[in-house]
Amino acid sequence: MTDTKIAKMTAKDVHVFYGDNHAVKGISLDLHQDEVTALIGPSGCGKSTFLRCLNRMNDTVATCRVEGKITLDNEDIYDPSIDVVQLRARVGMVFQKPNPFPKSIYDNVAYGPRIHGLAQSRTDLDEIVTVSLEKAGLWNEVKDRLDSPGTALSGGQQQRLCIARAIAVNPEVILMDEPCSALDPIATAKVEALIDELKGRYAIAIVTHSMQQAARVSQKTAFFHMGDLVEHGDTTDIFTSPKEERTRDYITGRFG
Amino acid sequence: MTSSAIFLILVLLSLVSFAMTRQKALTRAGGDPAKLHSLPRHYGYFAATCVLLPSFFAFGIWLIFGKSIIEGLIVSGLPDRLFEVGTDQATLVLNRIRLVVENASSPETDPDILAAAQKFNDLYIRGIWAAFALSVSFGLVGFYLASNRTQPDFRARNKFERIMLIALALSSVIAIATTLGIVASLLFESLRFFHEVPVTEFVFGLHWSPQTALRADQVASSGAFGAVPLFAGTLLISFIAMLVAGPIGLLAAIYLTQYANTKMRKIAKPMLEVLAGVPTVVYGFFAALTVAPFFRDLGITLGLDIASESALAAGIVMGIMIIPFVSSLSDDAITAVPKSLKDGSLALGATPSETITQVVLPAALPGIVGAFLLAVSRAVGETMIVVMAAGMQPKLTANPFEAVTTVTVQIVALLTGDQEFDSAKTLSAFALGLALFVSTMALNVIALKIVRKYREVYD
Ligand SMILES: Nc1ncnc2c1ncn2[C@@H]1O[C@H](COP(=O)(O)OP(=O)(O)OP(=O)(O)O)[C@@H](O)[C@H]1O
Ligand SMILES: [Mg+2]
């Protein structure tokens, strides 16, 4: 497939090893601004692993080794001169299970801006928190109880709180690892609407096990299998006329 | 016939009954175990317990009461001549008899005592044979009954399970009863103490000097029993100990859980556990012979007046002793914080140290507080180090360079050496023990409450 636009993030021939386990085998994939890329594939095929390479969260796993080249705005993120902390502020992540900090709703969202010194004053911070919660579609539900603990929210609200927390640091890329797998259909719909909302401003990659979700929210889809990137391209193409046998089998539910 | 021989015979008896019943169950089932309700060995277990329990019961009764019954018999048969001096003489006479019984070459010459000892021996031998016969017959009856019930449809497995259940329950009852007994005796003796010394003096008195009254008419035979200096000393030393153990233990736990690699952890954790396994008396002489003189000499060079036995030395060494305690409990609290929280913070671009101070530690805080409280109660109850390094002076001071004393040390001092058992001095040890028990128990309860509450949040 051909890309005319300049990619926000590119991965070139990325290999990941957990000790001797070769989990990701030479994946090349681009993420674009204004686009949602869905990563699909059977369990254990390396979707999360690949995603976690993009903000170097794999550094926290002692046995993990990454090879290949990943760039953000043409900068190699595995270059020794790169500040990982800064990188993660630019590439935000939302996890499969909502993981709000045991702090107030306000402090959850303010956490990132505070450590990065994004707000000059309390009013600035209030502004950031409000805007982030609004973008995450949570503002109306929590505006009267910003002081109550984030852990006291419902699962769907918690997940949107985590998204608000991620966008509060003003990232350029947002990685989501099965953000809806712990949510009911209504909360899922809200998060999907939110992703749609967000796609204009951020490059988004989302891992999902739901074909429908991938079809609904993404413009690009990448199908992973056993650590290989089998096929990737426009979501409509992948779902209507997959080129590969394995892709077809997977999206029609014949294996996986 | 000795007790251990009888014990062995009873065990053998139960083994035999196990084997026989097992065989019998098989035979009754026509050699086909599938026809039995339970496995053959369950019939065996059942029979073995049916033999062991009653026979041990009988034998246990003999072990517990046998001697005193015989002694009672003998004392009542002694001529009045031996009891002239007073009623207390009974124990004395008994002791003389016991001496002869235990040691044939004792210098006892009184013919009545010798005769009594002879009689004791006779009775004892007869008694032990009787006990033997009784317990074996109890065992045989048990075997007979169990053997009779060995039918294919007998639910030996369930019955045996029930017996085990009762045995387990009994064990825990014994543990609980012992605890209650200890507390009750503490309470009882403390009450006796408070008859002689008012509670208010004990709790608020600033002066502690329990006198040794060798004779009742001695001057100043009753001392001062104000426990405040002791508790102050205890608090001072525990405070110093926590100043040492708190930060070091916590920081060590943070390092081990957050920064150290697996290899480092594998080495460091067992090392810390070794530190926890060092007997406190070793810490004690380390404190007394190395640390305390070091501080004294340091004081001399700095122009400070540091006693050669100081609260400082004892507190620091005690702190070292409880470091592993603090670190391993904090370690648990920190590792219990879900990794997802840590990842969440890191993914927002927080540095590891920001993540630890702002997310991990606050989340682990209740557990850490619990760990500290448990450590304090350890420090409060610690004795040996203080005995050896902090001195014996019940001084009311906040100066860590002076010698102080603690509750536990005073209890040791009060109860070692020759004492009149019901003097106020001796009884005061029980009051101190009670106070110590209540305070450490309160600390433990609070600490465990906190720790448990916090566990529930994440589990
Ligand atoms: N922390 C880790 N340590 C060792 N091996 C790991 C680790 N995380 C993942 N793996 C291995 O890497 C491979 C890919 O795992 P990954 O989590 O990326 O799969 P996934 O596609 O996200 O699956 P799922 O859909 O179930 O989330 C698996 O074989 C897994 O066992
Ligand atoms: Mg995954």
Side-chain angles (χ1 to χ4, degrees), chain A residues 3 15 29 34 39 69 77 85 88 97 132 136 150 153 188-189 193 216 224 227 239 246 254:
Chain A
D3 269 323
H15 292 263
L29 188 67
D34 315 336
L39 309 184
K69 189 171 177 181
I77 65 167
V85 167
R88 290 188 191 140
K97 238 181 88 191
S132 309
L153 294 172
T188 301
R216 279 194 300 263
F224 283 54
F239 279 95
R246 279 186 288 176
R254 235 169 288 164

Side-chain angles (χ1 to χ4, degrees), chain A residues 18 21 23 41-50 61 63 96 178 209:
Chain A
Y18 291 108
N21 179 9
S43 196
C45 66
K47 305 179 297 290
S48 301
T49 301
F50 176 72
V61 180
T63 54
Q96 176 171 359
E178 301 181 39
H209 276 288

Side-chain angles (χ1 to χ4, degrees), chain A residues 52 57 60 85 88-89 91 93 95 99-103 111 115-116 165-166, chain B residues 339-341 343-351 354-355 358-359 362-363 458:
Chain A
R52 289 163 60 88
M57 279 303 284
T60 64
V85 167
R88 290 188 191 140
V91 184
M93 186 161 212
F95 295 82
N99 56 351
F101 302 132
K103 300 171 183 284
Y111 182 81
I115 55 177
H116 294 297
R165 188 175 72 183
Chain B
K339 189 174 181 295
S340 65
L341 281 186
D343 282 351
S345 169
L346 290 174
L348 283 170
T351 62
E354 284 163 351
T355 302
Q358 299 190 33
V359 173
Y458 293 117

Side-chain angles (χ1 to χ4, degrees), chain B residues 219-417:
Chain B
V219 218
S221 64
S222 73
F225 290 98
V228 171
L230 307 186
F231 283 98
T234 305
L235 281 184
L236 177 64
I237 292 186
S238 308
F239 180 71
I240 297 171
M242 287 312 291
L243 277 188
V244 174
I248 297 183
L250 181 57
L251 293 179
I254 291 175
Y255 174 72
L256 286 178
T257 52
Q258 307 293 316
Y259 291 101
N261 56 29
T262 335
K263 211 168 122 199
M264 181 70 199
R265 239 190 331 265
K266 267 197 187 128
I267 301 170
K269 277 204 124 178
M271 297 269 271
L272 273 174
E273 270 144 34
V274 168
L275 202 58
V278 176
T280 55
V281 67
V282 175
Y283 284 109
F285 62 69
F286 173 60
L289 302 181
T290 316
V291 181
F294 169 77
F295 280 117
R296 188 198 49 215
D297 297 344
L298 191 74
I300 292 170
T301 38
L302 295 176
L304 285 170
D305 188 18
I306 302 182
S308 60
E309 288 181 324
S310 64
L312 186 66
I316 287 179
V317 174
M318 194 192 281
I320 293 173
M321 181 195 83
I322 53 182
I323 284 174
F325 200 68
V326 175
S327 79
S328 79
L329 284 174
S330 311
D331 191 317
D332 291 347
I334 292 173
T335 16
V337 175
K339 189 174 181 295
S340 65
L341 281 186
K342 209 180 138 194
D343 282 351
S345 169
L346 290 174
L348 283 170
T351 62
S353 68
E354 284 163 351
T355 302
I356 290 161
T357 51
Q358 299 190 33
V359 173
V360 178
L361 286 188
L365 193 65
I368 293 172
V369 170
F372 275 45
L373 288 183
L374 283 178
V376 171
S377 85
R378 250 326 268 283
V380 166
E382 170 54 32
T383 316
M384 216 55 216
I385 295 173
V386 201
V387 170
M388 297 174 82
M392 292 276 191
Q393 285 156 26
K395 216 183 297 172
L396 188 56
T397 174
N399 180 356
F401 300 148
E402 284 190 60
V404 295
T405 193
T406 66
V407 177
T408 50
V409 171
Q410 279 310 305
I411 294 178
V412 172
L414 290 168
L415 292 183
T416 46

Side-chain angles (χ1 to χ4, degrees), chain A residues 2 4 20 26 88 94 98 101 106 109 115 132 156 160 175 181 192 250:
Chain A
T2 53
T4 45
D20 292 331
R88 290 188 191 140
V94 176
F101 302 132
Y106 185 96
V109 183
I115 55 177
S132 309
R160 279 179 287 147
L175 311 173
S181 62
E192 284 179 7
Y250 183 70

Side-chain angles (χ1 to χ4, degrees), chain B residues 129-256:
Chain B
W129 276 108
F132 174 59
L134 197 67
S135 43
V136 167
S137 43
F138 269 42
L140 287 178
V141 169
F143 174 59
Y144 174 73
L145 292 178
S147 185
N148 256 354
R149 302 186 69 172
T150 306
Q151 307 291 344
D153 60 348
F154 175 60
R155 306 184 167 190
R157 188 180 204 159
N158 313 37
K159 275 278 184 285
F160 176 67
E161 192 72 26
R162 271 211 79 73
I163 296 174
M164 284 315 288
L165 184 78
I166 293 169
L168 295 178
L170 270 181
S171 308
S172 53
V173 165
I174 288 174
I176 294 168
T178 323
T179 317
L180 288 181
I182 291 173
V183 174
S185 100
L186 264 184
L187 262 175
F188 181 69
E189 302 294 342
S190 304
L191 282 181
R192 284 178 61 192
F193 171 72
F194 289 129
H195 270 300
E196 297 182 31
V197 177
V199 183
T200 44
E201 184 194 332
F202 180 74
V203 177
F204 300 111
L206 300 183
H207 193 63
W208 179 265
S209 73
Q211 293 297 318
T212 333
L214 289 176
R215 303 181 312 270
D217 55 344
Q218 208 176 4
V219 218
S221 64
S222 73
F225 290 98
V228 171
L230 307 186
F231 283 98
T234 305
L235 281 184
L236 177 64
I237 292 186
S238 308
F239 180 71
I240 297 171
M242 287 312 291
L243 277 188
V244 174
I248 297 183
L250 181 57
L251 293 179
I254 291 175
Y255 174 72
L256 286 178

